[in-house]
Amino acid sequence: MSDVDISQTLTSSKSKLRLSTMRERVSPVYPAGHGDIALITLDNTLFHVHRAILQHSSLVFATIFESDSKEEQGEDECQAPLKMETDGATLERLLTFAYPDRQSPSLDDVEAIANVFRAAKRYEMDGVIYQLRKSLIETKIKHD
């Protein structure tokens, strides 16, 4: 491969990387520098969160991080974000319930509650599920 071919390949790779990065939206609530791990949602919203909080609040994340720590020899600074099977709005609400220093969001929309509940069940976040059940009892729900 010639120097020109290598240069074109690198330029093409950088362009593709730049395009994929441009499509990502960073959560203003969980911005870069906020945590030590990144999550990316189905709608390409990037969340920077604390591994310890996820590990403590979710059996799924605890298992993922336990297996990751056994496989890792050292810290990987360029670790790719973990892909989440939910949208950005739902993940933001879910994380707000999980973070102990945050006020639990008030959910008065049936669809929003259902989405957060499904995500909490998927990631086995029992504390979030408990808070959701409690808020359902205490909150009037708007019907569309």
Side-chain angles (χ1 to χ4, degrees), residues 12-144:
S12 174
S13 296
K14 285 179 184 176
S15 297
K16 288 177 186 174
L17 181 62
R18 198 173 302 120
L19 284 174
S20 69
T21 304
M22 287 177 15
R23 285 185 234 137
E24 293 173 356
R25 175 176 118 17
V26 178
S27 166
V29 180
Y30 301 94
H34 179 274
D36 56 351
I37 192 162
L39 308 175
I40 191 156
T41 60
L42 295 173
D43 57 358
N44 287 326
T45 304
L46 197 59
F47 291 80
H48 295 274
V49 296
H50 296 94
R51 177 187 294 240
I53 289 176
L54 292 180
Q55 194 168 10
H56 179 73
S57 62
S58 164
L59 292 174
V60 171
F61 283 110
T63 303
I64 290 169
F65 297 147
E66 183 179 304
S67 64
D68 282 353
S69 66
K70 289 179 182 177
E71 294 172 6
E72 287 181 0
Q73 296 296 339
E75 287 295 316
D76 183 9
E77 294 178 14
C78 297
Q79 186 178 20
L82 290 175
K83 294 179 182 174
M84 303 296 291
E85 295 296 319
T86 189
D87 62 276
T90 300
L91 184 60
E92 185 171 306
R93 290 179 186 118
L94 182 73
L95 291 171
T96 303
F97 275 109
Y99 266 73
D101 64 339
R102 310 245 176 186
Q103 174 94 17
S104 296
S106 61
L107 300 175
D108 56 3
D109 175 39
V110 175
E111 187 175 345
I113 293 170
N115 289 340
V116 175
F117 188 78
R118 276 192 290 272
K121 292 284 281 183
R122 176 180 294 126
Y123 299 112
E124 297 181 37
M125 301 176 88
D126 292 338
V128 173
I129 293 168
Y130 172 80
Q131 290 179 68
L132 282 169
R133 287 180 176 155
K134 186 178 175 185
S135 70
L136 275 173
I137 294 168
E138 297 171 353
T139 305
K140 291 183 179 182
I141 298 173
K142 292 180 187 175
H143 295 285
D144 290 336

